[in-house]
Amino acid sequence: MKYLVVSDNHGDRQILLDLVERYKEKMDYFFHCGDSELDSHDKLWDTFIVVRGNCDYGGDFLERQTISTQQDIVYITHGHLSNVRFGLTQLSIEAKESNATISLFGHTHQIGCEVVDEILYLNPGSISQPRGPIQIPSYAVIDSTPDAFDVQYYNRAHHPVEELHFSFPKLTRE
């Protein structure tokens, strides 16, 4: 399964349109981790699974979602309600309660990717306002197979960022 993950575009609708146009036939799922600052009835949400960020006012976005795909259980939240600025402890509790194999979040505008206790935690960074040591507007593509997670980050020009490519073997859950 292939998943595109983006977050924190803060009103830049065009970049989301570009992603849909570029990847519509190549991805199984499109995830948006919040702070789109777009209307909750925007036609883009016909393509993206989206959650509410702390800058998404009004509308009827969900705070969290758990999505079962053919390959994974994906837990998605913006992260502000999970205190991700202070670590992944609360997020990991929520992901485990959802029986997730992947936990997606945004909020910090910082790229992050790691596997802990057989769960892939991924922050795609911000497509429009990156923060932290990696100053690249970014999104991520996860290729999930029965044996591994393969993660590639891309810049706003849709070029792979070679040093931001990660592969994690999957362990068999008992």
Side-chain angles (χ1 to χ4, degrees):
M1 300 296 292
K2 292 191 86 151
Y3 313 117
L4 184 140
V5 187
V6 65
S7 191
D8 296 280
N9 59 294
H10 289 282
D12 184 350
R13 187 174 188 275
Q14 187 59 50
I15 190 62
L16 300 183
L17 289 170
D18 293 347
L19 291 171
V20 170
E21 182 63 29
R22 176 174 285 272
Y23 291 104
K24 64 184 168 191
E25 302 299 326
K26 300 175 184 171
M27 294 294 138
D28 296 300
Y29 289 85
F30 288 75
F31 292 100
H32 192 294
C33 300
D35 277 359
S36 70
E37 295 185 41
L38 300 177
D39 186 272
S40 64
H41 300 290
D42 194 299
K43 294 300 264 179
L44 279 166
W45 308 137
D46 293 343
T47 301
F48 285 91
I49 294 167
V50 61
V51 292
R52 176 191 308 275
N54 59 298
C55 293
D56 293 319
Y57 304 107
D60 52 1
F61 294 112
L62 297 174
E63 302 283 356
R64 301 168 171 87
Q65 292 197 57
T66 303
I67 307 300
S68 293
T69 73
Q70 292 175 328
Q71 185 68 45
D72 299 286
I73 298 173
V74 181
Y75 176 75
I76 178 173
T77 190
H78 183 58
H80 63 298
L81 299 174
S82 306
N83 298 311
V84 296
R85 286 199 192 283
F86 304 104
L88 299 182
T89 302
Q90 180 63 38
L91 183 66
S92 69
I93 292 167
E94 295 165 12
K96 288 174 184 174
E97 286 175 351
S98 296
N99 202 30
T101 55
I102 298 174
S103 181
L104 305 175
F105 65 102
H107 188 56
T108 65
H109 294 218
Q110 295 185 44
I111 290 169
C113 181
E114 63 181 307
V115 171
V116 178
D117 295 333
E118 301 175 39
I119 300 171
L120 172 66
Y121 294 89
L122 185 135
N123 186 325
S126 171
I127 194 66
S128 62
Q129 301 172 7
R131 295 183 189 146
I134 303 172
Q135 291 291 310
I136 300 170
S138 59
Y139 62 94
V141 172
I142 303 169
D143 186 3
S144 178
T145 68
D147 300 319
F149 294 116
D150 187 79
V151 177
Q152 177 64 65
Y153 283 86
Y154 292 83
N155 65 24
R156 214 180 143 94
H158 311 292
H159 297 135
V161 181
E162 298 302 329
E163 63 271 22
L164 297 176
H165 176 248
F166 306 95
S167 291
F168 302 99
K170 288 183 179 177
L171 302 176
T172 305
R173 285 188 168 190
E174 298 294 324

